[in-house]
Amino acid sequence: MPDSAPTAGIPISAPTDLTEDRPVYVIGGGPGGLAAAAALREQGVRAVVLEKSGNVGASWRRHYDRLHLHTTRRRSALPGLAMPRRFGRWVSRDDVVRYLDKYAEHHELEVVTGVEVSRVDRAPDGTSWQLTASGGRVLTGRAVVVATGFNHTPRIPDWPGRDTFTGELVHACDYRNPAPYAGKDVLVVGIGNTGAELAVDLVEGGAARVRIAVRTVPHIVRRSTAGWPAQLTGILVRRLPVRLVDRAGRLMAGVAVPDLTAQGLPRPDTGLYSRVKDGAIPVQDVGLIDAVKRGRVVPVAAVESFDGDTVVLADGDRITPDAVIAATGYRRSLEGLVGHLGVLDARGRPVVHGARTPKQAPGLYFTGFTNPISGMLRELALDARKIARKAARGR
């Protein structure tokens, strides 16, 4: 079908002359996509956001009820709009959603919902980009920002016997609150930030027993110490040598975090910042330390397999929880969209992000596919302005 460009309130199939003004297409209406679109607009560049769901911030709307940002309100705002003081220091999920709705409205962004982009290719003219989207649409823009999100496709390991488990097995993305698990024996698999917080939520919500399966012992940091947020430390150490930060991290953990070895959660044997460089963000404590110390959340070995109503652990123990919640992460799922362009690494992650574009794909930008220690929203805001300046110079 002929090229078409959506505008706010107009169906995407409405004909529009793009001969003189091909927009920058932003794929994804989450914080990263909205920030990029606002920053492009600020530079005088037309940006059109394509969002496959019915609303902006779709992933935030699906998060569990108790979720709050682990980054401060002031350092989590996107370009051009501060978060209201009434949101408090640690912003709730619901307030993040309100903010994203207001953000799109405040910047008068062109957001088209219900449109999923399945493939990005070089346009026949060799200078533009062609997007294949739902409904047989083919859109042409002069640049593309991929902002489909770090948490895109839920991942549950293919454990042997998983499909025949007679208990309840769900991914953490389907967890909302502890009410359905009151009085039940629950195993949380994965001790990242999500798994740790869900375990605490379950305990506080009345679960009869909560265990958490640990494959790799995490670094745990206090979200705030004497009013000093962990995020600010993360910002300050980003340019320091890894060994120096590892050493400082060990000293700080020795003072701020009790030794939980006796409770089944020993201190990690690798440095905090070394882990960060490998993609593992430390767990920010929102009650896990106390829950483990009191025996309310019990760490156990990693899950190896399932056998009927039984979960078999790596150390040979066999347990029979009523429910298993897999906080086992997500896939970026970029292979079908851009994998054929040679812009992903062996783990399916973009080889560049922010204002840098792959040499073989100039005009193709990525944002939101790293998990920085300095705060995701802060880095999305910085990336957005860098992308906008670069795209504006390319006009």
Side-chain angles (χ1 to χ4, degrees):
M1 64 180 291
D3 291 336
S4 61
T7 55
I10 299 177
I12 193 169
S13 57
T16 305
D17 180 10
L18 290 180
T19 304
E20 299 297 329
D21 183 25
R22 297 185 187 275
V24 173
Y25 281 107
V26 179
I27 307 173
L34 298 180
L40 285 162
R41 183 180 175 88
E42 185 180 57
Q43 291 286 332
V45 177
R46 184 183 173 208
V48 177
V49 179
L50 303 176
E51 167 55 45
K52 70 177 182 179
S53 74
N55 304 94
V56 299
S59 64
W60 277 94
R61 297 173 194 272
R62 295 192 299 268
H63 283 316
Y64 49 96
D65 294 348
R66 74 172 278 156
L67 178 64
H68 284 68
L69 293 178
H70 291 163
T71 54
T72 62
R73 181 192 72 252
R74 290 182 58 192
R75 295 181 180 89
S76 300
L78 302 179
L81 184 66
M83 287 188 172
R85 290 178 63 103
R86 68 177 183 276
F87 285 0
R89 193 182 200 196
W90 311 108
V91 182
S92 71
R93 178 207 64 183
D94 289 347
D95 282 336
V96 171
V97 171
R98 293 186 184 99
Y99 174 73
L100 295 178
D101 282 336
K102 181 64 178 178
Y103 191 83
E105 177 187 347
H106 174 81
H107 287 292
E108 299 180 336
L109 301 181
E110 290 188 58
V111 180
V112 182
T113 58
V115 175
E116 182 173 9
V117 179
S118 57
R119 186 178 170 97
V120 176
D121 290 288
R122 266 299 190 190
D125 64 12
T127 61
S128 302
W129 288 95
Q130 183 172 284
L131 286 68
T132 302
S134 53
R137 301 176 177 92
V138 178
L139 310 169
T140 304
R142 55 192 181 86
V144 174
V145 180
V146 180
T148 50
F150 192 83
N151 296 339
H152 187 273
T153 303
R155 183 184 70 86
I156 298 182
D158 189 19
W159 292 299
R162 185 189 75 179
D163 294 339
T164 59
F165 178 55
T166 57
E168 179 186 355
L169 172 61
V170 298
H171 190 273
C173 70
D174 294 316
Y175 178 94
R176 294 294 172 270
N177 58 64
Y181 303 96
K184 293 185 177 182
D185 183 336
V186 186
L187 173 66
V188 177
V189 184
I191 195 169
N193 277 293
T194 296
E197 189 155 0
L198 294 195
V200 173
D201 199 34
L202 287 161
V203 164
E204 295 177 352
R209 186 177 191 178
V210 178
R211 286 172 283 204
I212 188 163
V214 181
R215 183 171 296 279
T216 302
V217 178
H219 284 275
I220 304 175
V221 299
R222 302 285 187 180
R223 185 170 65 175
S224 179
T225 303
W228 180 272
Q231 179 192 13
L232 191 52
T233 300
I235 294 171
L236 294 176
V237 305
R238 289 195 72 189
R239 306 298 181 188
L240 296 179
V242 172
R243 289 184 181 179
L244 177 62
V245 180
D246 282 349
R247 197 174 304 124
R250 281 193 294 272
L251 293 173
M252 291 174 62
V255 174
V257 179
D259 186 355
L260 300 172
T261 302
Q263 289 78 27
L265 204 59
R267 296 191 187 278
D269 56 7
T270 54
L272 184 152
Y273 205 36
S274 294
R275 290 268 192 93
V276 169
K277 288 295 186 179
D278 198 38
I281 295 299
V283 171
Q284 296 208 23
D285 179 52
V286 290
L288 180 69
I289 292 174
D290 184 67
V292 171
K293 192 174 181 179
R294 293 173 180 269
R296 302 180 72 195
V297 172
V298 178
V300 297
V303 172
E304 283 294 300
S305 63
F306 290 79
D307 182 11
D309 65 348
T310 301
V311 179
V312 182
L313 303 178
D315 60 3
D317 280 357
R318 299 168 69 90
I319 60 177
T320 55
D322 299 311
V324 176
I325 301 173
T328 46
Y330 296 79
R331 296 187 178 91
R332 310 294 87 80
S333 296
L334 292 170
E335 289 80 4
L337 186 69
V338 296
H340 56 286
L341 298 173
V343 296
L344 304 178
D345 65 16
R347 295 168 64 179
R349 303 172 302 182
V351 294
V352 297
H353 73 276
R356 292 182 296 158
T357 61
K359 289 182 179 180
Q360 71 275 31
L364 181 63
Y365 301 92
F366 295 89
T367 184
F369 296 99
T370 60
N371 197 8
I373 194 172
S374 51
M376 175 69 82
L377 293 178
R378 176 182 182 271
E379 295 303 317
L380 289 176
L382 294 174
D383 273 358
R385 287 210 157 106
K386 292 174 184 177
I387 290 170
R389 287 194 292 267
K390 179 77 174 293
R393 289 199 300 270
R395 277 187 292 181

